[in-house]
Amino acid sequence: MTDPVRVAVTGAAGSIGYSLLFRIASGEMLGPDQPLELNLLEIPPQMDALEGVAMELDDCAFPLVQEMNLSDDPAEGFEGANICMLVGGKPRGAGMERKDLVEANGPIFKAQGEAINDNAADDVRVMTVANPCNTNALITMNNAPDVPNERFTAMTRLDLNRSKYQLANKAGVNPGDVSNIAIFGNHSSTMYPDFFDARIDGEPVPEVITDHDWLKNDFIPTIQGRGSAIIDARGASSAASAANAALEHVREWYTETPEDDWVSMAVPSDGSYGIDEDLIFSFPVRCDGNGNYEIVDDLDLNDFSKEKLKATEQELQEERSVVSDLM
Ligand code: NAX
């Protein structure tokens, strides 16, 4: 009998949580044979709502779920967790600048980093969805000194999926035919979806999609602004697609990446492509199937791409300076 994996999810009563938990519990994230223990975290005013979500999980009678713990205390919530999915955070309010969002969320991730450090399992892996997710992950990592840095990641998988769809749609192919999408930098409007190295049916995208003006001036801004476009259309931010991406992020972290492809995750920079080593920056990575990954560090970036990387690096450095007192 396989030992259960304990998955902690924060913001479990929120919109993404509602799309995410049922899919995790059904086995879509770690496989149909992997028993699970779910630790669901919320803040005190949301505990009643969380009870309701837990009742619905009960009502699905998922055979993989062996235990479910609900808590508003991070120490309890991260107790024994093998995987922590940090989805909960303060949303951007009316009139809030990005800097205000960074400041408002920072203390949450300091406390969660400390709690993960002291309570999670020895093999813990952490992924952050809550925005600003790169900087929140950096704060968490810096407050968990006993956990190796490479265990902290942030999600840019949604940007990868968005890119995949837009390129497939333009080329008139299936999204499954698009590979090798590298998302660089911050999960924000400065993020850079590198289409030069992406492939369609194994061929370089710029050779398949010959409208380079579209690639540079439509595709990139569409991906960078997709989150806002969803909010404008739906009146609420991406939830089901974000949950889908979070699930894929974790699943692929524990799956061997095919040799001819890569996935993208925001991970601690190792200086690849000249990026500041004290940032959580999205890179193309290859995973080994055991929860380890390597940054794909040998893409031959052109000047256009290098400039885009600089811009998103600079934004992350600015975010870091706002919360330097928390690290
Ligand atoms: P919701 O506001 O619906 O839910 C967030 C939940 O987090 C709430 O229930 C809240 O009570 C809870 N929460 C707040 N502080 C907490 C804490 N300290 N501990 C535990 N729970 C806490 O937001 P939702 O739509 O679910 O989005 C969650 C986060 O994902 C937001 O920060 C959002 O900006 C971010 N996103 C990130 C994306 C990405 O690609 N990285 C895309 C989608 C999404 O915008």
Side-chain angles (χ1 to χ4, degrees):
M1 181 75 180
T2 319
D3 287 339
V5 170
R6 185 171 290 218
V7 182
V9 181
T10 72
S15 305
I16 294 177
Y18 197 67
S19 289
L20 178 62
L21 295 174
F22 298 84
R23 293 184 63 190
I24 295 176
S26 73
E28 274 188 75
M29 187 166 82
L30 298 177
D33 302 317
Q34 178 56 62
L36 300 163
E37 292 167 352
L38 298 178
N39 280 11
L40 309 182
L41 263 122
E42 261 296 344
I43 48 173
Q46 286 298 102
M47 286 309 284
D48 283 346
L50 183 59
E51 284 288 348
V53 174
M55 286 160 70
E56 284 205 70
L57 281 163
D58 286 343
D59 292 350
C60 295
F62 288 118
L64 293 176
V65 179
Q66 296 198 341
E67 194 179 306
M68 194 156 50
N69 306 297
L70 276 46
S71 182
D72 57 14
D73 172 5
E76 227 173 67
F78 294 122
E79 176 66 41
N82 307 104
I83 298 173
C84 300
M85 303 178 76
L86 309 185
V87 181
K90 286 193 186 153
R92 192 180 208 145
M96 254 173 122
E97 302 284 333
R98 191 165 179 87
K99 177 175 169 291
D100 302 325
L101 185 71
V102 175
E103 267 178 347
N105 276 283
I108 295 176
F109 293 88
K110 178 175 165 49
Q112 293 190 350
E114 290 165 353
I116 289 169
N117 191 68
D118 295 345
N119 300 283
D122 287 346
D123 67 350
V124 67
R125 275 22 183 206
V126 184
M127 64 88 67
T128 306
V129 174
N131 282 320
C133 63
N134 299 55
T135 297
N136 289 342
L138 186 71
I139 297 169
T140 312
M141 178 181 90
N142 276 291
N143 285 283
D146 301 336
V147 181
N149 283 356
E150 65 272 15
R151 306 275 190 84
F152 294 86
T153 65
M155 182 173 101
T156 51
R157 176 71 212 208
L158 181 53
D159 309 302
L160 188 159
N161 287 344
R162 287 167 170 168
S163 302
K164 205 174 245 211
Y165 173 77
Q166 293 298 331
L167 292 173
N169 190 45
K170 179 72 177 174
V173 300
N174 186 282
D177 298 331
V178 185
S179 66
N180 301 80
I181 293 168
I183 302 294
F184 282 103
N186 200 3
H187 170 70
S188 76
S189 57
T190 65
M191 163 264 304
Y192 175 51
D194 169 20
F195 61 82
F196 291 104
D197 292 288
R199 294 182 171 256
I200 293 177
D201 278 328
E203 300 299 318
V205 161
E207 288 176 22
V208 181
I209 298 175
T210 51
D211 182 352
H212 292 187
D213 183 53
W214 179 85
L215 285 169
K216 284 185 176 164
N217 300 316
D218 278 300
F219 168 70
I220 295 177
T222 296
I223 305 306
Q224 291 174 331
R226 188 70 168 179
S228 308
I230 301 275
I231 293 174
D232 290 345
R234 210 173 83 86
S237 60
S238 321
S241 57
N244 179 65
L247 190 132
E248 290 185 319
H249 176 112
V250 173
R251 184 169 61 206
E252 289 178 351
W253 197 347
Y254 287 91
T255 305
E256 191 174 350
T257 311
E259 244 171 59
D260 57 353
D261 200 0
W262 51 69
V263 291
S264 289
M265 286 184 194
V267 300
S269 167
D270 63 354
S272 294
Y273 306 102
I275 297 301
D276 186 334
E277 289 191 33
D278 194 14
L279 292 177
I280 300 253
F281 194 90
S282 185
F283 291 103
V285 305
R286 284 204 185 91
C287 304
D288 71 354
N290 297 309
N292 308 305
Y293 57 80
E294 272 185 7
I295 294 175
V296 176
D297 61 1
D298 58 354
L299 300 185
D300 189 15
L301 300 184
N302 58 24
D303 288 345
F304 179 88
S305 297
K306 284 181 187 159
E307 206 177 293
K308 298 285 184 198
L309 261 66
K310 274 284 152 220
T312 192
E313 177 189 36
Q314 193 181 342
E315 184 184 46
L316 282 168
Q317 288 167 328
E318 285 163 15
E319 287 184 16
R320 183 182 64 198
S321 69
V322 175
V323 289
S324 54
D325 57 322
L326 299 174
M327 300 191 275

